[in-house]
Amino acid sequence: MKKTIVTFLLLTLSLQILWGQEQILPVPSTQPSPAQQKQIARKYGMFIHFGINTFHDQEWTDGSKPASSYQPTAVDADQWIRVAKEAGMKYVILTAKHHEGFCLWDSKYTEYDVANSGNKTNVIEAIAKACKKYDIGLGLYYSLWDRKVNADVKDRSLDAEYNKYLLRQLDELIDIVQPYTNIVEFWFDGGWEKENDRWPVKEIYQTIKSREPDCQVGINWSIGLPDNPDAHPVLPENQKAGYPIRYFPSDFRLGDPYLPVDDDPKVFTHDGKEYYMPWESTICISERWFYNTTDKKYKPVDELARLYRQCTKNDNILILNCPPARDGKIRDSDIRLLKDLRKVIND
């Protein structure tokens, strides 16, 4: 108990120091920053949806599934990253925590994690090691919406405590990854469950950028409307140059699972200043984000090639979702398609 209290006080102090620092913010510009140029150059990556949902044939569970039901027979992160490398991808994004709140690492702040599951492998550490081995960039998906820890999202009085929880977990994730590699991207989801000003967006940005300066930060459904900066959703075809950034500060736009239009706008505004923001698309190679026993229909190679070209022109980026199965491996069908797709897009 004493150790827990001391840890809590130290973390509270560190957060107070962090928030007292000069804020790290994007530099206004109508052109990509050096870090954005690196993101644009990565161009093509793999989305890896893996977690407790993998074992329930559901895309979203609600936090009520027992941690023990997460029970992969293996976690072959080396295979995931090798497959991505052989497909010509430059980075991956792993679902560190999805909407149900289950964490793919042993978190100090919740028991709803791999340490209390049927397979205690720290998936974050395993994938960080594999990314270093194959020289692949590592990105992490993290759901702001947590149906386990912050189930009553309508209660504003719970925001402050949950926001501390969120920021501590981001620090944990960076702590795990940094001995092996850098985090190139944080992909945040679920912000629509609260008004945009209820999320600690500036503190999220500060927490990440103070430790990973080149890491690109994006929050799903990034752009609002001139008369309502928190409008949701604003589809890509309705976004126009100069529209307000819904979650500021952030570095790139998301609007999952929609695709950018031809010659999509890149410059958006906050507080009267202009900011360049590329678009990152997310596409499933089959029909589901997480492995599902009914997921049998795959997109053909010619469709994937067309989508690839649409999503990567105009300095935009694509992540193609290939979910590992319950044996902790990417499916053979995904691997065959990825190899065939590489031949087509390299022609």
Side-chain angles (χ1 to χ4, degrees):
M1 175 63 81
K2 289 182 179 179
K3 184 178 179 181
T4 301
I5 293 171
V6 170
T7 301
F8 174 81
L9 291 173
L10 287 173
L11 282 165
T12 302
L13 178 61
S14 67
L15 288 171
Q16 290 172 342
I17 292 171
L18 174 64
W19 294 339
Q21 292 174 350
E22 183 179 352
Q23 287 186 339
I24 301 172
L25 298 171
V27 176
S29 177
T30 59
Q31 299 296 322
S33 69
Q36 287 174 321
Q37 289 172 3
K38 292 178 184 177
Q39 182 186 34
I40 292 165
R42 285 190 288 272
K43 191 173 184 176
Y44 179 39
M46 180 185 287
F47 217 168
I48 302 174
H49 276 70
F50 186 68
I52 201 164
N53 298 342
T54 303
F55 301 88
H56 295 283
D57 277 355
Q58 291 180 242
E59 298 286 63
W60 294 4
T61 51
D62 62 5
S64 65
K65 306 296 185 187
S68 58
S69 66
Y70 167 86
Q71 45 187 344
T73 52
V75 176
D76 195 348
D78 190 274
Q79 184 239 20
W80 306 348
I81 307 307
R82 185 178 71 252
V83 168
K85 183 80 171 184
E86 291 172 352
M89 295 166 164
K90 299 293 194 298
Y91 72 118
V92 301
I93 298 177
L94 171 70
T95 53
K97 185 193 78 165
H98 205 256
H99 303 321
E100 79 294 324
F102 184 80
C103 300
L104 291 181
W105 74 101
D106 180 7
S107 176
K108 298 186 188 80
Y109 309 109
T110 181
E111 294 186 351
Y112 201 49
D113 62 20
V114 293
N116 296 288
S117 78
N119 185 318
K120 302 183 188 304
T121 302
N122 184 328
V123 185
I124 309 302
E125 183 177 43
I127 202 169
K129 290 178 179 178
C131 285
K132 178 180 180 181
K133 176 179 175 180
Y134 291 102
D135 191 25
I136 286 276
L138 174 58
L140 295 176
Y141 166 112
Y142 183 97
S143 177
L144 300 174
W145 181 31
D146 189 314
R147 303 174 82 180
K148 183 74 168 180
V149 175
N150 190 211
D152 188 1
V153 293
K154 303 303 181 188
D155 187 348
R156 286 176 172 265
S157 69
L158 302 176
D159 284 358
E161 191 60 32
Y162 177 69
N163 290 346
K164 289 178 185 177
Y165 172 83
L166 183 162
L167 294 167
R168 291 177 188 132
Q169 286 205 320
L170 296 183
D171 260 327
E172 278 189 321
L173 288 166
I174 297 170
D175 285 343
I176 293 167
V177 172
Q178 279 191 336
Y180 308 103
T181 188
N182 296 112
I183 302 173
V184 300
E185 186 175 313
F186 260 104
W187 201 113
F188 292 102
D189 202 9
W192 59 80
E193 286 296 313
K194 299 180 186 179
E195 294 82 2
N196 64 347
D197 61 357
R198 292 176 61 193
W199 298 111
V201 178
K202 288 184 178 179
E203 290 84 357
I204 289 169
Y205 200 81
Q206 181 87 13
T207 297
I208 295 167
K209 293 288 188 172
S210 64
R211 302 187 61 188
E212 291 278 11
D214 283 351
C215 178
Q216 297 300 279
V217 176
I219 303 178
N220 205 3
W221 296 107
S222 316
I223 303 301
L225 292 173
D227 60 350
N228 179 12
D230 198 25
H232 169 261
V234 180
L235 300 177
E237 59 263 31
N238 297 323
Q239 295 181 16
K240 299 186 185 305
Y243 273 21
I245 301 169
R246 188 172 175 220
Y247 298 106
F248 184 88
S250 54
D251 301 310
F252 64 99
R253 291 173 294 144
L254 294 163
D256 169 56
Y258 295 88
L259 308 184
V261 297
D262 292 338
D263 300 320
D264 67 308
K266 290 293 196 299
V267 179
F268 298 86
T269 61
H270 176 76
D271 197 23
K273 300 185 177 87
E274 295 184 320
Y275 298 88
Y276 184 95
M277 297 180 73
W279 179 277
E280 185 173 69
S281 296
T282 57
I283 292 172
C284 286
I285 197 169
S286 51
E287 292 188 304
R288 305 294 186 113
W289 294 108
F290 286 92
Y291 169 82
N292 190 301
T293 57
T294 68
D295 189 15
K296 307 290 186 184
K297 186 177 179 181
Y298 284 80
K299 293 178 177 65
V301 171
D302 58 348
E303 181 183 355
L304 289 171
R306 178 183 62 78
L307 291 168
Y308 170 87
R309 294 186 179 106
Q310 176 67 24
C311 295
T312 59
K313 64 184 178 182
N314 299 325
D315 288 341
N316 289 323
I317 311 109
L318 168 65
I319 48 173
L320 182 60
N321 186 65
C322 302
R326 294 173 183 174
D327 61 359
K329 293 178 180 289
I330 292 176
R331 302 167 294 187
D332 291 341
S333 299
D334 297 52
I335 296 170
R336 286 193 295 270
L337 259 178
L338 289 171
K339 289 179 177 177
D340 291 344
L341 178 59
R342 182 173 189 177
K343 292 174 186 174
V344 173
I345 62 181
N346 284 349
D347 286 346

